[in-house]
Structures are given as C-alpha cells and as structure tokens.
Amino acid sequence: MAQPVNPIEVKERIKYKGKHKVNLQRPKKGPKYFFRKCKEQKELLWMSVPFLIWLFIFKYLPLGGWVMAFQNFRPARGFLDQEWAGFDNFRFLFGSERFLEIMRNTLAMSIINLVLGFVTAVTLAVLLNELRNITFKRVVQTISYMPHFLSWVVVAGLVSTALSMDDGIINTVLLNLGIIDTPVMWLGVGHYFWGIIGASDVWKSVGWNSIIYLAAMTMIDQEQYEAAEIDGASRMQRIWYITLPGIKPVVVILLIMNIGYILESGFEAQYLLMNSMNMDFAENLDIYVLRYGISMANFSLATAAGMFKTIISFIFLFGANKIAEKLGEARLF
Amino acid sequence: MSLLRRLAGKRRGIDDLIFDSVNILLMLILVVVMLYPMLNTLAISLNDATDTVRGGLHILPRSFTTHNYTHVFNEAQVIRAGITSVLRTVVGTGLGVFASAMVAYTISRPHFILKRFTTLAFVLTMYMNAGLIPTYLLNRELGLIGSFWVYILPTLIGVFNLIVIRSFIEGLPETIFESARMDGAGEFVQFFKIALPLAVPVIATVSLFVAVGQWNQWFDVFIYNSSIPELSTLQYELMKVLQSTNTSGGGAADSFADSLGGQVEMVTPQSVRAAMTVVVSVPIIMVYPFLQKYFVKGLTLGGVKG
C-alpha cells in the first residue's frame, strides 16, 4: 500500500468491523480519496476543468515567456534556442536615464490618480449621502456615472477638445475669469500632463467609484446619527465622526487592492493624449513596453520591464496587506 | 439654559442651511462639469461644419444639420466596423458571462473538491500579469492574430466578475439546491434550472460590465488586427481619426472629410470627429439607465465581499 495510513484509524476500523454494521470510515486524504471525490463530482469537474485549462493557457503559460527577459530573444528561433543574457536586460533598463524618467512618470501619475481618485470619490459619496432630496440625488448620481461608460478614446477626444487652444472651454473660462491672459496650450506643456491625466481620470470615474462608498454608508446604523444630533453634533462632526469611520473598512480594502496596482498608472489615457511635446512627462512603463516591444521588436527588454512591473506590484500588494494587518484593519487576504 | 439651547438649536439650523446650499451648489457644478463636454460634442456634431469653425459653440447647435452624420454613415468602413463592434460585444458578453457563471457556480459549491484550488488559481491572475509581450507571443502562437477570436478568448473570464457572481450564488439559500438534489438533479440541472435563473440580477450587472468593456476596447484591435479592415471596430476607427487630428492637424481625418469632396455642404475633421464620437458612445449610454438598479447592487456585492 503506497499511501500512509493512520494506525489508530486502522485499529478503529478493525475494532468496529463486524461488531456494528457501520461503513468503514474511509480516509479523508490522499490520492484515493481525491479520485473517488472526482468521480462523485464528475459534473462539477466538467464545468470547471475546461476553464482551468483556459486559465492555464492564457494566464499562466505566458509567464513562461519571462525567460525572454534573460535572453537576447530573436523571434525566429525557439524559446530555448536563444542566446542567454543573464541580467543584462535589467542592467540596461535600470542603468538608462530614460527608464528613470519612465519610473518617475509612472509613479507620479499613479499616485496622483490614486490619491485624487480616493479623495474625490469619498467626498462625492459623502456629499451625495447628505442630500435630502432623493430625486435630486438620483439625478446627480446618474449623471455622474455616465462618463464611466465612455471609452478612453472618447474621453481623450473630449479632453483635447476642452483643452484646445482655440475655443476650448477651459481656456475660455479661465480667460473670462482673468486667471490667464492668453490661451494656454495645455497638452503642449509637459508639466501640465500629470494634472490633466489626474483630472481626466477623476472626470471619468469619480461617480462610478463613489457607488461603493455610498453602499457602505447605507450599512451605517442610522441611530448613531440621531444620537449624535441629540448630543448637538453638527453636520460636519457627524460626517467626521460617524460617516467616515463607518466606511473606513471599505476604504482600507480598496486602498490595498489599488496599491497592488501602483505601477499601473493607466495606459489608454496617456497613450491617447500623448504627443511629441509632452512625451517626456507622458511616457510611462506601459507605453515604454509597447514602444520597445511591439514597435522596436526588442522583446527581451520589454519583457524585462513588464516583469519588473508585476513583481513590484506583488511586493506592494503583500506589503500593504501586512501593514493593514498590523494596524488592525480589514485585510484583503 | 433654555435660551442657550434655543440659540444652539438655531445656530445648528443656519449651519444646516449653509451646508445644504453649498452642497447643492457643488452638485450643480458637478453636473455641469460632467455634462458640458458631452453636450458640447453633441452640439458640434449637429452643427453645420463651416459654422462650427467660427467658434463659440456651446451646448446648442447654431445651424442645425444632420449632414455630419450622413457623412459618417456613408463611410463603408464605419458600417463594417460597427458590425464588428456589435458582434464582439454580443459574442464576447454571451460567452464570457456564461463561462464566468459556470465557473462561479462550481466554486460556490461548498463540497467541491477543487473549490479552493480554482478560486486561488483565478484570483492570483488578478495580480500576476505576464505582460504585453509574452501575451502577444502566445496569441501569435495560437494563431489568434488576424482573427476575430482574439477579441473573445484571451479575456473570456474576468476574475472580478467571477467573484461577484460567486458571492451572489453563495448568498442563495443552500436548501434550494439540497431539495433539488433530493429530487435527483445533477449539477448541470442545478446550475441551469436553479442558479442561473436566480442569479439574473447579478448576471445582468456582469453582462453590463463585460459589454461596456468589449464595446469600448480598442487596444487589442490596435495590437493584433490593425492591418485588417474587416476586423476593425468603431472605437479603433475613432481612435485613428482622433490621433491623426491630434498630432498633425489633418491626416486620416482630413482624407476622411475630403473623401466626400464635391458636395455642397462641407464637413471638417472636427465635425466628423464629433459625430463619430456620438455614434460610438450613444449605444452604451442608452443601455445603462435600464440596468442601473442592478449594477449598484452587483458592484457592492463584489467590492465588499470580494
């Protein structure tokens, strides 16, 4: 018998065999148990195994492509028939000045988006929650969700129209308010790019992102508000001491989830709004990968950059989770 | 004492009034900021192109015309791209949601032997992305490049959607499934006859997510099928128009606009772009108010439990 058996269990089996007509307690572990269960759950396996194979092919198999990061990959040859480069690609990557700029842009835009996104969504949710007129609230909500359904292609078009030199609404408003004297070429100045991306991102997703906080607010015990009101707490105090602590667990979980995406500063917005004038501030890791990988066919370097991104994301995710655990907050896993 | 209380009460009242007024004002500003860019584009698309060039157009067309739209719809490529867009949205949503629901059902069964394994295998991929190049090479090896299926297969099951559906099915009372099992129903029967019908709200939500994602996608067209006009989509066509006007102030949009030369009424890249933006956006904007009551619930479920 290949499989180890608990001696006590065997004894029990022998003891009860014959005396009582009980079924043998069959072991709950080991390959035999597993295969018996598989037979029993044949149908569930039919339902899931094809998609597990799909998952393996489309999500796990490409991870094998990471070997390219350690090679000087030439597409004409097979994966194992390549010239090995050790850490040369990484050395080149971290040594190049361009890469430092890319990292700066990636982190800057990602942090701006993260902070701005959280603050605006929570603020919007709080303000919506404080609206007394339900119809008005619903109308504002519906309108604020709308941009979420537009593609980045469309949003990028709207943004560049709004920012245009001639007749763009942003320039028109700022000129009329006397904040600027001459129209500004917003997309032509690199320094404005991060702000533009942040603002576009907020415009597109603030309404949508507020949904989850609003939902969390409905879980808060209404009696707390009544008690606070009797104690003379002002609206602001009620928001600060009841509403915000009430949604804190949700905020923490979402924050952890998003910190895992710290190097995902977005791709579409940057790619679509980028031009030769703002490129030094617009190019992020994803665009770099695209440019080196697809356009210049330097698969190895692009893979190294992509791999770097995934690994950093993982570290950040686990780090954030650990910190949340230490602080006694809700955790993701 | 009572005077103090009255004062405090009164002051609270004024505070409240100020708060509410400021709040309503902020909300009105928000509404304007959200709506203006969309309405502005709509106005440009419905305005005579030569008149638009004069500038100063805001949310109402000055010189109404549908000419920009006739122009857009006269382009054979737009119609063809529209068909591909609809096709990928319908097929992608149908297959994707079905597959997600099926896997979600299996990992919602408490006794399923691969429950933990399957869940973990899927969730891990949320953060473990091989990256663009390995994925590209895989799709090339699989012969998906230059094919319609590259829009469907690589993104068949979204992990977030999977978790949302699973949470919903787990929330259904187990006794329903138990009594079905008593009556001899197998897992397939339980899935099709019980889980799916009861999960309609969450299925609707997830369908909306997937459909929006499919409809709005342009990057896979750009990467894999940019040289095949038959497989282009509306978003990609719009992207090409936008990019060409962004960078060189002409290019594709110009030729696009010029291709109807000789006509009396003119179109400009700007008007064509606006009309096309509306054509691309209206279908998805039309759908969502009907599904709104579902998706708020669905999103909450996924976010809080996920």
Side-chain angles (χ1 to χ4, degrees), chain A residues 95-284:
Chain A
S96 77
E97 216 160 287
R98 186 67 187 160
F99 186 73
L100 288 180
E101 259 177 41
I102 303 288
M103 282 310 292
R104 177 202 65 188
N105 295 344
T106 307
L107 283 173
M109 284 189 274
S110 149
I111 291 169
I112 289 173
N113 285 357
L114 187 71
V115 174
L116 216 58
F118 262 91
V119 172
T120 52
V122 171
T123 310
L124 177 62
V126 168
L127 293 180
L128 281 170
N129 197 43
E130 295 292 327
L131 285 179
R132 293 173 198 276
N133 188 321
I134 297 301
T135 319
F136 182 61
K137 179 179 165 183
R138 197 162 298 152
V139 170
V140 174
Q141 265 184 290
T142 305
I143 290 171
S144 70
Y145 300 159
M146 225 182 260
H148 173 80
F149 293 88
L150 301 175
S151 67
W152 266 115
V153 178
V154 167
V155 174
L158 298 181
V159 169
S160 54
T161 306
L163 293 175
S164 101
M165 276 273 272
D166 36 68
D167 210 32
I169 184 69
I170 302 290
N171 276 324
T172 310
V173 168
L174 292 179
L175 280 172
N176 284 333
L177 289 175
I179 296 173
I180 51 174
D181 303 323
T182 48
V184 176
M185 196 176 176
W186 295 102
L187 285 168
V189 182
H191 287 284
Y192 298 141
F193 195 80
W194 298 346
I196 293 170
I197 291 292
S200 314
D201 199 54
V202 167
W203 186 80
K204 190 176 191 293
S205 48
V206 64
W208 187 257
N209 289 344
S210 69
I211 293 179
I212 191 146
Y213 303 116
L214 272 170
M217 283 172 197
T218 60
M219 312 278 205
I220 299 173
D221 186 5
Q222 292 302 306
E223 279 175 28
Q224 286 188 44
Y225 289 105
E226 284 155 29
E229 202 171 352
I230 292 166
D231 287 345
S234 71
R235 281 284 268 288
M236 290 307 252
Q237 283 171 322
R238 271 178 275 160
I239 292 172
W240 192 255
Y241 293 108
I242 302 174
T243 311
L244 290 179
I247 61 169
K248 203 167 124 193
V250 178
V251 174
V252 172
I253 288 199
L254 287 180
L255 212 53
I256 298 172
M257 282 171 78
N258 281 310
I259 281 173
Y261 292 118
I262 195 80
L263 293 185
E264 306 266 355
S265 51
F267 164 78
E268 297 182 58
Q270 284 86 346
Y271 186 82
L272 294 166
L273 289 171
M274 187 172 81
N275 57 44
S276 51
M277 286 171 286
N278 58 28
M279 196 168 162
D280 284 343
F281 291 86
E283 198 180 4
N284 64 9

Side-chain angles (χ1 to χ4, degrees), chain A residues 65-79 82 89-90 93 288-307, chain B residues 130-141 145 223-224:
Chain A
W66 277 3
V67 293
M68 282 187 291
F70 305 100
Q71 300 171 330
N72 289 322
F73 188 78
R74 298 232 185 85
R77 298 191 204 159
F79 271 102
Q82 301 282 344
N89 289 311
F90 290 95
L93 207 60
Y288 184 81
V289 170
L290 181 72
R291 213 158 56 84
Y292 268 91
I294 304 286
S295 313
M296 299 185 198
N298 189 340
F299 287 178
S300 288
L301 194 64
T303 306
M307 188 179 159
Chain B
L132 180 68
I133 306 301
T135 310
Y136 178 84
L137 290 177
L138 174 82
N139 287 331
R140 203 179 63 176
E141 287 302 307
I145 292 184
I223 290 284
Y224 300 115

Side-chain angles (χ1 to χ4, degrees), chain A residues 248 252 256 319-331:
Chain A
K248 203 167 124 193
V252 172
I256 298 172
N321 196 53
K322 207 83 211 149
I323 291 170
E325 191 183 354
K326 283 248 163 67
L327 295 176
E329 294 292 348
R331 282 176 301 139

